[in-house]
Amino acid sequence: MKKTLLLLALSLSLFANGIIVKESANSVDKTVQKIKKIVIKKGLRIFAVINHQKNAKNIGMKMRKAKLLIFGNPKMGTRLMHQDILTGLDLPMKILVYRDKDKKAKVAYRNGSWLKKEHPLLSNKLVSKIDNVLDKITNKAIK
């Protein structure tokens, strides 16, 4: 019962922060590769992949696998920043792929609705596009 309540509270907390978490049927590395392929196929640009586990290892620390993909569409990002330049603090888009404590691969990202909450000047149409793109990318990658 306590575990269920804790999971519920954590889920609500993540939702309140605009964080979407999905479980992947694949490993972290395979999920990352799938996301990369999907992003490129959609005509988006991958700016960086940060390997948090490797960075931790480089300083003598251990951690579970975790990779952050940073990607986006410069045209859309520029349009968003024309509406609110401070949106640049939260762009480009990011998806974290990690192995949780139960050794399951997960994907996590902030949705466009969160971006709209933080930057109220943004167009609902562009925010909706972000939500749809991130949902489609992650849903395909976790299968």
Side-chain angles (χ1 to χ4, degrees):
M1 180 71 158
K2 286 182 183 179
K3 190 174 181 178
T4 303
L5 290 174
L6 179 63
L7 287 173
L8 179 61
L10 180 59
S11 296
L12 290 173
S13 170
L14 290 174
F15 185 73
N17 291 323
I19 298 174
I20 310 292
V21 179
K22 299 175 181 178
E23 187 174 322
S24 179
N26 307 299
S27 68
V28 168
D29 291 330
K30 181 155 180 149
T31 303
V32 167
Q33 289 307 314
K34 288 179 85 171
I35 291 171
K36 284 175 157 182
K37 275 185 174 179
I38 295 163
V39 164
I40 291 167
K41 190 174 182 179
K42 286 192 168 291
L44 303 173
R45 186 178 301 166
I46 295 175
F47 299 111
V49 177
I50 298 170
N51 186 335
H52 289 302
Q53 182 186 42
K54 183 179 177 183
N55 290 335
K57 185 178 179 180
N58 288 340
I59 59 165
M61 296 180 75
K62 291 183 180 182
M63 69 176 293
R64 294 186 298 268
K65 276 195 174 199
K67 294 183 179 183
L68 181 70
L69 290 96
I70 302 172
F71 63 96
N73 175 333
K75 187 175 182 179
M76 180 182 277
T78 301
R79 288 172 61 197
L80 290 167
M81 289 193 299
H82 278 167
Q83 293 175 31
D84 180 1
I85 191 67
L86 296 179
T87 308
L89 289 167
D90 298 311
L91 294 174
M93 294 183 282
K94 299 162 200 72
I95 297 176
L96 178 67
V97 184
Y98 64 98
R99 186 172 52 214
D100 72 5
K101 64 181 180 174
D102 297 321
K103 299 185 180 181
K104 294 178 181 177
K106 302 270 179 88
V107 297
Y109 61 93
R110 288 196 189 272
N111 65 10
S113 299
W114 174 84
L115 199 61
K116 173 77 172 159
K117 186 181 108 198
E118 295 299 313
H119 307 280
L121 299 176
L122 299 184
S123 125
N124 289 329
K125 185 177 179 182
L126 290 177
V127 168
S128 181
K129 273 186 167 181
I130 292 170
D131 281 343
N132 290 332
V133 165
L134 287 170
D135 191 50
K136 287 177 182 177
I137 290 169
T138 54
N139 284 342
K140 284 183 182 179
I142 63 175
K143 292 180 182 179

